[in-house]
Amino acid sequence: MIAIRNLKKSFENKTVLRDVNLDIYDGEKLVIIGRSGCGKSVLLKHIVNLMQPDNGYILVDNIAIKRVGQKDLFHLRKQFGFLFQSAALFDSMTVVENIALPLVEHTDMTLKEINEKVAEKLELVGLPGVEYLKPAELSGGMKKRVGLARAIIMDPKYILYDEPTTGLDPIMAANIDKLIIELSEKLNVTSIVVTHDMQSVAKVADRVVMLHNGKIIFSGSIDELYATDNKVVNQFVTANAEGPIQPKPVTY
Amino acid sequence: MVEFIEYLGKRIILFFQQAGAVFILVWKAARYLSKIWNNRSLVLNQMLEIGVRSIPLVIFVGIFAGAVASVQTAYQLKGYISLNYLGAATSVAIFIELGPVLTALVIAGRVGASIAAEIGTMKVTEQIDALESLAIDPIRYLAMPRILSGFFMIPILTIIADFVGVLGAYVVAYINLGLPPEIFFGSVKEFFSILNVMSGLIKAFFFGGTTAIIGCYVGFNTTGGAEGVGKATIRAFVLSSALILLNDYILSVLLF
Ligand SMILES: Nc1ncnc2c1ncn2[C@@H]1O[C@H](COP(=O)(O)OP(=O)(O)O)[C@@H](O)[C@H]1O
Ligand SMILES: [Mg+2]
């Protein structure tokens, strides 16, 4: 279980996370929605300590990640798979090398075992046969899927997806959604999906939370999401130009 | 006036903060030296990249530096001291100054800037974050091999530059002055001191380390997309060149 308490984060004088409180339960598929630039990526990065809060703390299985030393932090991170918004593939390496890197660095597996495992994960993300391409030769959707294969290579307990379907065509997006559901069921992982793709939300989410103005302003099921009378949430899920949120840059 | 002092104070604080951050980086990288055997392929890769791939450039620079040194020295000696000492005068200059400094400066351009650009690109495209999220410490994976290779490969490149430098010097001496090889190399040998060469290599050791450390530091602190990477590249080159010349002065005072 992940418990986020009173999380606060500012950059220079811009407050991004004001006071975030959120519990993430084992095995659930939690979707975090919110406008672009509202701090969804920042929140995800806090969960694996890629960013440190100004205030508040995060417990991962009752361990305060802010307090752990580097050794334990790396141990903790092995339980996480992180799909970056930009995929963040290592562009000096081939697809196989990207996916295999955690195995090469953290396990004593032989080359044969590693190759088998990489092939298995590539199969899972529906990308066999691209092993020896470089990231620059892949399309956006392929990059995301390679990034996903890399994120799950160590069989993590938690998978964090940062906008897994943004910028993909609808069919590819549906495939990724399916994959998220499959992974969650097959491997019994806890999934945290950041997105503003409402179709994806409807398919994937066990529970939805909405981040707005640095706080969680909604938490509930899909049905509750569409039924809510919170005007901000309502405007977001119905993609309405009229409403409390106006398309000026988000101010805090 | 008050503003100026305030500005100056801020700059000084910033300087010490950055110097401190550089030392922390070096300290963290140094702690991974004990695991060097496990990381040998990373280190070898960088030695190849930083060392072996720089050899053509260093040979080119070495030959011309030697040639110019030879012409200059001949001009200065002419009429005062016998040109029979040309080999000695040129080679000593190459060993203690030209070899290490010119090698280090071209390496600052080729290697320092490319380390900063590579790590800087990884930083702005979240690849550094990705390494961390995979429980891989970027300081072990990226910085340690580069810094280590910087320290040890630049002296080796300097030996090459010294060698081709003296050859270049001789070729010019032969073409311009018809100086026979026995005379030229005889005087090189007569005045040859291993201490001169060693002091040059000690300098090269520090120049190389400085270049790689600055490249890594600037790279890890890159922000602002492609533009930021461009700025980081320039910054790494300017900073490491300046530090090489400063180091050169300090080491020269200490060594001689
Ligand atoms: N490293 C950083 N330095 C400064 N500002 C940042 C940094 N990372 C994110 N921000 C700012 O935080 C805000 C939220 O960003 P982000 O979490 O990426 O938004 P999104 O919800 O679209 O993922 C943005 O305004 C962004 O400019
Ligand atoms: Mg984002």
Side-chain angles (χ1 to χ4, degrees), chain A residues 35-42 44-45 85-86 162-163 194 196, chain B residues 126:
Chain A
R35 298 183 66 203
S36 289
C38 77
K40 303 183 295 299
S41 298
V42 169
L44 275 193
K45 286 186 180 176
Q85 189 168 351
S86 60
D162 197 347
E163 303 199 11
V194 157
H196 37 58
Chain B
E126 295 185 309

Side-chain angles (χ1 to χ4, degrees), chain B residues 234-255:
Chain B
I234 297 171
R235 204 163 145 239
F237 176 63
V238 171
L239 254 178
S240 46
S241 311
L243 283 176
I244 285 166
L245 295 172
L246 185 71
N247 260 345
D248 186 33
Y249 175 72
I250 295 172
L251 287 170
S252 300
V253 171
L254 289 179
L255 289 167

Side-chain angles (χ1 to χ4, degrees), chain A residues 45 48-50 70 73-75 77-78 80 82 84-93 98 101-102 105-106 150-151, chain B residues 28 31-32 35 38-39 41-42 118 121-122 124-141:
Chain A
K45 286 186 180 176
V48 287
N49 207 36
L50 286 173
Q70 180 166 9
L73 177 63
F74 282 154
H75 180 73
R77 278 187 182 152
K78 287 179 199 166
F80 283 90
F82 198 121
F84 286 84
Q85 189 168 351
S86 60
L89 301 179
F90 305 118
D91 43 32
S92 62
M93 299 182 192
N98 261 283
L101 186 66
E105 292 292 323
H106 300 312
R150 186 179 69 186
Chain B
K28 284 183 174 166
R31 283 193 316 187
Y32 281 114
K35 301 227 176 79
N38 302 347
N39 295 298
S41 71
L42 293 172
E118 188 184 7
T121 305
M122 292 184 74
V124 301
T125 56
E126 295 185 309
Q127 292 176 56
I128 302 285
D129 279 349
L131 275 178
E132 293 226 26
S133 82
L134 299 170
I136 297 169
D137 186 354
I139 292 183
R140 171 181 67 79
Y141 196 77

Side-chain angles (χ1 to χ4, degrees), chain B residues 1-104:
Chain B
M1 189 63 197
V2 174
E3 278 118 57
F4 175 73
I5 291 173
E6 208 171 280
Y7 171 80
L8 201 70
K10 271 189 191 145
R11 293 300 301 202
I12 291 173
I13 290 171
L14 194 69
F15 171 79
F16 280 107
Q17 272 175 351
Q18 292 191 335
V22 170
F23 278 110
I24 290 171
L25 170 71
V26 174
W27 166 243
K28 284 183 174 166
R31 283 193 316 187
Y32 281 114
L33 285 177
S34 61
K35 301 227 176 79
I36 188 165
W37 181 248
N38 302 347
N39 295 298
R40 59 191 179 280
S41 71
L42 293 172
V43 174
L44 283 176
N45 247 327
Q46 284 309 313
M47 293 199 157
L48 196 73
E49 183 59 43
I50 291 175
V52 179
R53 303 241 158 87
S54 298
I55 289 176
L57 179 64
V58 165
I59 289 179
F60 181 81
V61 171
I63 289 177
F64 281 94
V68 171
S70 178
V71 173
Q72 280 286 311
T73 316
Y75 174 74
Q76 286 175 340
L77 294 186
K78 215 177 266 170
Y80 301 100
I81 299 170
S82 160
L83 284 177
N84 292 351
Y85 292 111
L86 182 63
T90 323
S91 64
V92 169
I94 290 173
F95 293 152
I96 63 183
E97 188 66 26
L98 292 175
V101 174
L102 288 177
T103 304

